[in-house]
């Protein structure tokens, strides 16, 4: 029997890319999504040697693009078994009263509305088939607030709340819903947050060893390989050198 179909949003870098690589090594069939098409092609060339891969190039903030992308899936790719809602970002790190409202819009549109659009599009077929697994990437920032985390944290708190709500609403349909909440992970996250300022982007990881995308991917693989009657609701994963959002041991 063919391995399950996994759709990973934000597969062009960081946690999403590492998850695609690990799941390809484990022979899952993969739909990889993101805005940077060159990166999708590159990843497909690389992991396509291991498994079947389909790429979807769209901006998750736009509902019509999400709908079009999912509607474009060939019949053999339409039954998504596992949806990894990973696409997301922090934009800026500013006090609330000084924040750029465009940053807020981008985070809400991506981390929250984008996740909603694609989940709403994918889950009805899961419910119809009576099987499926939604994995939402939350954050330590979805568990606690930190100074200047304001709207990013709010979107991740919302993801955490939505995961619990999705689990309740699809309880009678056999659908598994999980949240994974990482602490510091070394990806392009910080570079994006600080809008390409490489020096500033290094600061969160100074003097400590963060998680890698692969570390998070391994936890995701654990979640999806549990037997069907087991649902990992929530998994908080941090570097050993981190105890809370802003409590980090640095050498
Ligand atoms: P990266 O910046 O490396 O990856 C983010 C991914 O999201 C990229 O593939 C990007 O693809 C995609 N993405 C962003 N905006 C959009 C959009 N509008 N439409 C479609 N795809 C989009 O960061 P991470 O891997 O770290 O981030 C992945 C998730 O993990 C995020 O939800 C983040 O909040 C969360 N997280 C990260 C932590 C960290 O410390 N790194 C800790 C806790 C949670 P493209 O630009 O090609 O569209
Ligand atoms: C990313 C982790 O603490 O930098 O979600 O916001 S943090």
């Amino acid at each position: 029997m063919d391995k399950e179909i996994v759709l990973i949003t934000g597969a062009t870098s960081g946690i999403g890319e590492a998850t695609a690589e690990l799941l390809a090594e484990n022979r899952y069939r993969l739909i990889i999504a993101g805005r940077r098409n060159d990166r999708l092609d590159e990843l497909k060339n690389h992991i396509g040697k291991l498994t079947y891969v389909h790429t979807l190039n769209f901006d998750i903030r736009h509902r019509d693009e999400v709908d079009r992308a999912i509607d474009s899936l060939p019949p053999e790719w339409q039954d998504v078994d596992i949806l990894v809602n990973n696409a997301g970002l922090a934009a800026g790190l500013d006090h609330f009263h000084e924040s750029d409202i465009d940053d807020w819009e981008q985070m809400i549109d991506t981390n929250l509305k984008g996740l909603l659009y694609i989940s709403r599009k994918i889950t009805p077929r899961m419910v119809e088939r009576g099987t499926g697994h939604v994995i939402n990437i939350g954050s330590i920032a979805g568990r606690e607030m930190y100074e200047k985390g304001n709207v990013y944290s709010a979107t991740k708190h919302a993801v955490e709340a939505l995961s619990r709500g999705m689990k309740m609403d699809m309880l009678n349909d056999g659908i598994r819903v999980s949240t994974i909440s990482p602490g510091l992970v070394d990806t392009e996250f910080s570079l994006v947050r600080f809008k390409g300022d490489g020096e500033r982007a290094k600061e969160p990881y100074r003097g400590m060893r963060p998680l890698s995308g692969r570390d998070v991917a391994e936890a995701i693989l654990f979640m999806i390989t549990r037997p069907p009657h087991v649902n990992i609701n929530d998994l908080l994963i941090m570097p050993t050198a981190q105890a809370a959002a802003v409590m980090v041991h640095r050498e």
Side-chain angles (χ1 to χ4, degrees):
M1 200 181 89
D2 277 333
K3 273 279 192 90
E4 291 141 307
I5 296 179
V6 186
L7 193 166
I8 305 169
T9 67
T12 54
S13 75
I15 295 169
E17 184 181 20
T19 303
E21 286 170 349
L22 182 63
L23 297 193
E25 289 162 24
N26 284 272
R27 304 293 188 265
Y28 286 86
R29 287 175 286 163
L30 299 178
I31 303 171
I32 51 173
R35 289 167 302 178
R36 287 169 289 181
N37 210 25
D38 51 335
R39 294 232 191 156
L40 289 176
D41 288 343
E42 215 174 287
L43 183 60
K44 184 179 176 180
N45 281 340
H46 164 51
I47 62 177
K49 297 180 185 89
L50 300 170
T51 188
Y52 297 103
V53 181
H54 187 84
T55 62
L56 283 181
N57 179 218
F58 62 93
D59 187 327
I60 206 160
R61 290 173 296 179
H62 303 307
R63 186 171 151 190
D64 55 333
E65 284 191 37
V66 175
D67 285 350
R68 255 202 314 273
I70 302 303
D71 289 340
S72 78
L73 285 172
E76 66 274 23
W77 285 101
Q78 283 174 7
D79 285 333
V80 173
D81 298 291
I82 300 162
L83 169 64
V84 181
N85 277 321
N86 165 75
L89 81 163
L93 184 70
D94 301 291
H95 283 128
F96 181 84
H97 58 286
E98 292 166 340
S99 297
D100 183 336
I101 293 179
D102 287 339
D103 286 345
W104 290 357
E105 305 267 19
Q106 194 185 0
M107 291 187 279
I108 292 166
D109 289 351
T110 311
N111 303 357
L112 190 49
K113 291 171 71 179
L115 180 147
L116 290 172
Y117 295 152
I118 194 151
S119 302
R120 180 64 181 82
K121 190 76 185 164
I122 295 289
T123 51
R125 280 183 82 98
M126 289 181 170
V127 167
E128 232 171 71
R129 292 182 294 126
T131 179
H133 193 169
V134 179
I135 299 187
N136 294 321
I137 311 298
S139 169
I140 179 65
R143 300 285 198 92
E144 43 175 292
M145 296 304 297
Y146 56 89
E147 187 185 1
K148 301 180 180 174
N150 47 66
V151 170
Y152 176 67
S153 243
T155 63
K156 290 298 183 179
H157 276 76
V159 168
E160 209 271 330
L162 274 166
S163 289
R164 281 185 278 129
M166 284 185 194
K167 178 89 168 74
M168 290 174 187
D169 290 350
M170 296 184 285
L171 178 67
N172 296 340
D173 306 294
I175 308 304
R176 299 199 281 185
V177 183
S178 306
T179 316
I180 175 160
S181 303
L184 288 162
V185 193
D186 188 9
T187 63
E188 292 178 13
F189 177 86
S190 198
L191 199 62
V192 170
R193 167 171 256 176
F194 297 118
K195 302 173 185 176
D197 182 339
E199 278 313 302
R200 222 178 148 200
K202 285 188 203 143
E203 181 53 28
Y205 312 115
R206 182 183 46 80
M208 59 89 65
R209 181 168 178 186
L211 299 173
S212 64
R214 180 88 177 190
D215 294 326
V216 180
E218 281 169 358
I220 293 171
L221 181 63
F222 174 78
M223 288 168 138
I224 67 180
T225 50
R226 293 315 84 209
H229 68 289
V230 178
N231 189 98
I232 307 290
N233 291 33
D234 203 356
L235 195 155
L236 178 63
I237 176 171
M238 281 190 211
T240 304
Q242 183 176 22
V246 287
M247 189 173 178
V248 176
H249 172 72
R250 299 185 197 277
E251 299 293 345

